[in-house]
Amino acid sequence: MTEPVLEGGAIGRSAPRAAARRLAHGRGRYADDIVLPRMLHAAFVRSPHAHARIRRIDGGEASRHPGAVRVVTGADLAAVCEPMIAIAAHRPGHKSAPQPPMARETAFWQGQPVAAVVAESRAAAEDAADLVVVDYDPLDAVADASDALAAGAAAIHPALGDNLAFGHRIEIGEVDAAFASAAASVEHEFGFGRHTAVTLEARVTIADYRPADGTLVVHQSHQSPYQMQEVYAALLGIDDHRVRVICPDVGGGFGLKINVHDDEIATVAISRLLGRPVKYCADRVEAFGADAHSRDHRVRGRIAVSDGGEILAMEVDDLSAIGAYTAFIRFGIAEGMMTITNAGAPYRVPAYRAAMRAAYVNKPIVGMYRGVGVPIACAVTEQLCDMAARAVGMDPVAFRRTNYLDSDSLPATSVGGIQLPRISFAQALDRLVEAMGYDALRAEQAALRDRGIHRGIGVATFIEPTAYGPGYYGPSEAPVSTQEGTTVKLEPSGKIRCITSVTDQGQGTLTGIAQIVADQLGVEIDDVDVIAGDSASTPFGGGAWASRGLAMGGEASLAAALALKENVLAIAGPILQADPASLDLRDGAVVDRDGGTARLSLREVARIGHFRQDTLPADLQPELAATRHHVPNRAHYYVAHGALGCHLELDPETGSIDLLGVWVADECGRIINPLLVDEQLRGGVVQGLGAAFFEECVYDSTGQLLNGTLADYLVPMASEMPDIVTAHIEGLEETTLLGAKGVGEGGTIGATAAAWLAVNDALAPFGAAVSAQPFTPERILSALGAAV
């Protein structure tokens, strides 16, 4: 291992042991001739080809560039870092090739890192990276999932034999017989464009491997510090107790930052290789080819119904392109699985057949993104419902009421295997149609059509599986924690310190936790300090993903606060010569439970408990901190649900669309902070509308990204968004004390479906329909042209 060269001296055998250890722990100058190693900056050289053999990497000129420290290749990192192998243990037949942190012999997508330059500044690193010469031998690329799985198609990874990552089938009931006897059936193919998260804050990793004691500290823009602690420990061969990952407040995650990215692993491995701190920040342009992607599905669906509009059978066939590898830890095959398991979930479907296939292609890896495959399942299901309603002459809302799983039949398992608790789809729909004035909108729509104005109305029902539990990730053998933990402490000042495993990417989760703790301990929210995002100091947990923050972290915080309250009252009882059961905590004081009379300040209890134990009974142990964890009582997930409506106007001459209104009726369990919940719903809706109308990573047949800037990849802007009205249905998660379920993804799941329904509703008088998102003017005009 190369020792860092420092100003005025070096560490290692020639330095005093105490100085080396002091330096390793980042405690500043020990002597005048020893200073902290300066942080280096990494810039990556990325493949311009979607598929190419790497013949030679020449870093000679780059290494001589002013400020450059070293040119690093995949072969260099192989000495300190194991490849990522992503195979889900509970999915027989799933296969994936080992993925190195940087390409070695072959590059498998445009944007894959093939080398890195480490320099004294970011500018020097980027300039030197431009000087690295890579000799490529371009190979045939496959960018389409159908082409990848066609007979005779060459395997991207020859050792795998073919490009099928995984396939799965579900069949319940007599599907063929149901279609044969149906009064009507419809069939359609739906396309879901590939897109990416475009977070406000780019991915950032600062890695500091300290050779003196073999410890690693990583500051990272990520959603799960403990996940990454386990990843770095496993791949770099460092004991996990010597790895610390710090994830501070992050400017947007959306699931992107729960993924494991190769360039982040490479950055940490480079720090291990050089024994120096190394920083990498993805810029906006390279992020389009370096960040995990999502979607890229083609789904063929069909539905059979009786003459009364009852669903008799449904069939869904999903084909997805998941990139060149399976996403490490989080498994890109999850999108296809979530699509076929969540399809049809709100409805009575006597017969169901579904299949999914995930194909390897020469594109960036598909990972986690808000809603995973549930928005696809929702959009396909709701489109089929509208088409079936039209086929039998029913109003779409009436069709849904006819086919919902009613409350009396729940809890139950849906045809795809989703475990549904006692919820009311009809109640959510009723609340929605009331909020949007559905009947009035329909009357207005009919009147305006007579004047040549074409408006569309879409109403979609969604479920939102949240807070995934041990039954989901456990059998996969992925090191993903499905628990959350919180420690609540009473400080000598009488203030509260709360240390939690959940993280915050702008959701306001930590504010919600502070509210829960403050409420239970009878203090103001300003008297609660919440610490999160550090694997060295917080209880073990999963972080932020799948709308779990308050559903799980809030439950753990509630339990910890109640435990601390019990401990505080156990101390106050002897002091006041009162039964602790007769006391309570309110307004920063111990009070009589019945009358509310203040007896003792919380600060005084803290002072005695911390410093004057001599005044307490000898057999009393003052415990002024409590830690509790929560694992979901449901083995798989909680289930939130709701209905979402969209109203828009379409110009058949230009294909342009004006969004006139969006309404959401949501049941997410107990609401801790109504403002935060409403804004989570609105933010999710905007993201779903972005997928519906704007966002798509466009690739040509050779795997080249054609719109890799924000000038070409469109995202929704405030001026384009309508008013988003939120409404709530009462409901609680019955297996927890807090009763929260989660709300982070519902808006995204339902918005794309409702928007799609509204667009095709506006196109219905022309006999036209759009079949793929995003619904650009070009696609709308093409659909109108095809219907002529």
Side-chain angles (χ1 to χ4, degrees):
M1 178 176 294
T2 304
E3 296 287 354
V5 177
L6 307 177
E7 298 175 7
I11 66 170
R13 293 188 180 90
S14 60
R17 183 181 299 272
R21 184 165 297 278
R22 187 179 182 88
L23 181 60
H25 285 285
R27 294 172 183 161
R29 188 184 297 268
Y30 175 78
D32 290 341
D33 62 342
I34 296 180
V35 297
L36 287 170
R38 293 182 59 186
M39 182 171 70
L40 302 176
H41 297 260
F44 288 94
V45 179
R46 299 182 181 274
S47 172
H49 304 284
H51 197 194
R53 186 170 293 108
I54 302 169
R55 299 174 62 89
R56 182 177 62 93
I57 299 175
D58 183 355
E61 186 176 358
S63 64
R64 294 188 293 272
H65 185 76
V69 173
R70 181 165 175 176
V71 177
V72 181
T73 67
D76 296 327
L77 296 187
V80 296
C81 184
E82 295 292 326
M84 294 172 277
I85 301 176
I87 297 178
H90 65 322
R91 301 298 181 197
H94 177 215
K95 57 183 185 286
S96 182
Q99 180 190 355
M102 293 198 299
R104 296 187 62 182
E105 298 175 354
T106 305
F108 292 101
W109 74 87
Q110 180 198 27
Q112 184 179 10
V114 299
V117 174
V118 189
E120 297 290 346
S121 69
R122 176 171 175 170
E126 292 179 346
D127 289 345
D130 289 338
L131 301 176
V132 175
V133 177
V134 184
D135 185 7
Y136 294 99
D137 182 9
L139 303 171
D140 291 337
V142 57
D144 180 80
S146 294
D147 293 341
L149 299 184
I156 292 173
H157 302 285
L160 299 183
D162 58 36
N163 294 317
L164 180 64
F166 181 67
H168 187 74
R169 298 182 64 85
I170 300 171
E171 184 150 1
I172 295 174
E174 300 295 330
V175 175
D176 294 333
F179 274 93
S181 65
S185 65
V186 293
E187 183 173 353
H188 203 75
E189 182 170 289
F190 307 94
F192 296 83
R194 173 178 283 250
H195 53 270
T196 190
V198 197
T199 54
L200 181 65
E201 177 185 76
R203 291 183 297 108
V204 181
T205 301
I206 303 174
D208 183 9
Y209 180 73
R210 301 165 178 183
D213 60 1
T215 59
L216 171 68
V217 179
V218 180
H219 293 256
Q220 188 168 2
S221 177
H222 201 273
Q223 296 170 221
S224 180
Y226 276 108
Q227 172 188 297
M228 297 313 296
Q229 173 183 286
E230 294 304 302
V231 167
Y232 295 136
L235 296 183
L236 277 75
I238 306 172
D239 289 337
D240 55 7
H241 75 292
R242 294 186 176 276
V243 178
R244 179 184 185 187
V245 179
I246 302 168
C247 300
D249 287 350
V250 170
F254 312 127
L256 169 72
K257 293 174 183 174
I258 200 66
N259 295 298
V260 179
H261 288 86
D262 51 7
D263 47 23
E264 295 168 348
I265 300 296
T267 299
V268 177
I270 291 169
S271 178
R272 174 81 185 270
L273 188 70
L274 302 182
R276 302 248 325 247
V278 178
K279 178 180 179 178
Y280 165 65
C281 178
D283 66 34
R284 187 63 68 189
V285 173
E286 74 176 328
F288 279 103
D291 286 0
H293 285 185
S294 66
R295 314 306 187 237
D296 202 350
H297 290 244
R298 285 201 300 275
V299 186
R300 178 160 290 279
R302 64 175 184 150
I303 189 171
V305 294
S306 70
D307 55 5
E310 295 91 357
I311 297 173
L312 302 178
M314 184 182 293
E315 186 168 5
V316 175
D317 191 313
D318 175 70
L319 174 63
S320 63
I322 65 169
Y325 297 93
T326 295
F328 188 52
I329 300 293
R330 294 289 174 167
F331 308 125
I333 62 174
E335 277 209 345
M337 288 297 296
M338 296 288 276
T339 296
I340 65 171
T341 56
N342 283 268
Y347 303 104
R348 294 189 305 274
V349 183
Y352 180 64
R353 179 186 294 146
M356 61 78 64
R357 292 171 295 158
Y360 290 123
V361 296
N362 294 115
K363 290 180 180 177
I365 297 168
V366 165
M368 297 291 102
Y369 178 70
R370 205 169 192 174
V372 195
V374 186
I376 300 171
C378 180
V380 170
T381 300
E382 297 302 299
Q383 279 286 353
L384 291 175
C385 284
D386 261 29
M387 291 176 177
R390 193 172 293 118
V392 295
M394 288 183 71
D395 178 82
V397 168
F399 181 89
R400 285 165 173 79
R401 286 198 176 106
T402 298
N403 288 285
Y404 279 148
L405 289 164
D406 57 65
S407 300
D408 292 339
S409 67
L410 298 173
T413 300
S414 76
V415 289
I418 300 298
Q419 299 171 2
L420 297 170
R422 281 191 291 268
I423 53 180
S424 176
F425 296 111
Q427 185 182 11
L429 183 66
D430 291 345
R431 186 72 180 89
L432 175 71
V433 297
E434 177 190 7
M436 65 189 297
Y438 179 80
D439 292 338
L441 289 181
R442 282 295 183 198
E444 180 188 53
Q445 179 189 45
L448 290 174
R449 279 180 177 172
D450 293 339
R451 295 164 46 193
I453 297 173
H454 296 278
R455 291 188 174 177
I457 302 166
V459 172
T461 299
F462 64 86
I463 65 166
E464 181 191 359
T466 70
Y468 283 82
Y472 185 81
Y473 272 108
S476 76
E477 297 292 348
V480 174
S481 176
T482 55
Q483 66 176 334
E484 296 301 342
T486 298
T487 297
V488 180
K489 301 195 301 180
L490 177 62
E491 301 290 3
S493 62
K495 309 300 184 183
I496 307 300
R497 178 162 289 161
C498 176
I499 308 166
T500 180
S501 62
V502 300
T503 57
D504 203 320
Q505 292 80 46
Q507 306 96 320
T509 303
L510 303 187
T511 299
I513 285 176
Q515 287 182 257
I516 293 168
V517 171
D519 181 69
Q520 295 304 310
L521 296 178
V523 299
E524 296 294 326
I525 190 172
D526 288 343
D527 292 335
V528 180
D529 179 40
V530 182
I531 297 171
D534 187 341
S535 70
S537 61
T538 65
F540 204 95
W545 48 277
S547 304
R548 65 192 290 107
L550 286 182
M552 293 182 59
E555 185 73 15
S557 300
L558 175 60
L562 288 172
L564 177 60
K565 178 179 181 178
E566 182 179 352
N567 295 348
V568 168
L569 296 180
I571 296 171
I575 297 172
L576 298 173
Q577 298 184 4
D579 182 355
S582 69
L583 303 174
D584 201 359
L585 296 179
R586 299 173 198 165
D587 301 324
V590 177
V591 302
D592 289 328
R593 180 176 295 277
D594 292 335
T597 302
R599 302 285 303 278
L600 187 68
S601 72
L602 195 57
R603 178 169 184 161
E604 182 64 9
V605 177
R607 184 189 71 82
I608 294 171
H610 282 296
F611 306 128
R612 291 303 309 273
Q613 299 93 338
D614 60 294
T615 64
L616 298 173
D619 60 348
L620 176 63
Q621 289 291 333
E623 296 281 352
L624 296 180
T627 298
R628 294 293 184 271
H629 283 79
H630 175 67
V631 177
N633 298 324
R634 297 190 191 277
H636 293 281
Y637 34 69
Y638 304 147
V639 178
H641 76 289
L644 197 147
C646 180
H647 185 215
L648 55 80
E649 185 172 314
L650 183 148
D651 185 342
E653 298 298 322
T654 65
S656 63
I657 288 174
D658 287 331
L659 291 168
L660 303 178
V662 171
W663 297 261
V664 191
D666 183 76
E667 188 273 299
C668 62
R670 189 184 303 279
I671 295 174
I672 306 302
N673 186 311
L675 178 61
L676 290 177
V677 167
D678 285 347
E679 295 315 309
Q680 277 292 294
L681 282 171
R682 292 190 176 100
V685 166
V686 170
Q687 207 150 17
L689 294 177
F693 294 107
F694 303 103
E695 299 184 54
E696 182 178 20
C697 296
V698 180
Y699 281 83
D700 67 15
S701 60
T702 66
Q704 292 291 310
L705 179 63
L706 303 180
N707 61 332
T709 72
L710 286 175
D712 304 299
Y713 181 99
L714 303 181
V715 295
M717 307 293 284
S719 61
E720 297 158 337
M721 292 296 101
D723 288 339
I724 301 170
V725 178
T726 61
H728 300 283
I729 297 96
E730 293 183 5
L732 295 174
E733 171 51 49
E734 297 176 350
T735 66
T736 67
L737 182 60
L738 183 62
K741 292 183 178 181
V743 73
E745 296 167 299
T748 301
I749 291 167
T752 300
W756 206 330
L757 298 172
V759 170
N760 281 343
D761 186 50
L763 290 172
F766 302 96
V770 290
S771 299
Q773 65 173 52
F775 319 128
T776 61
E778 293 82 1
R779 282 185 171 143
I780 290 171
L781 292 175
S782 177
L784 286 166
V788 174

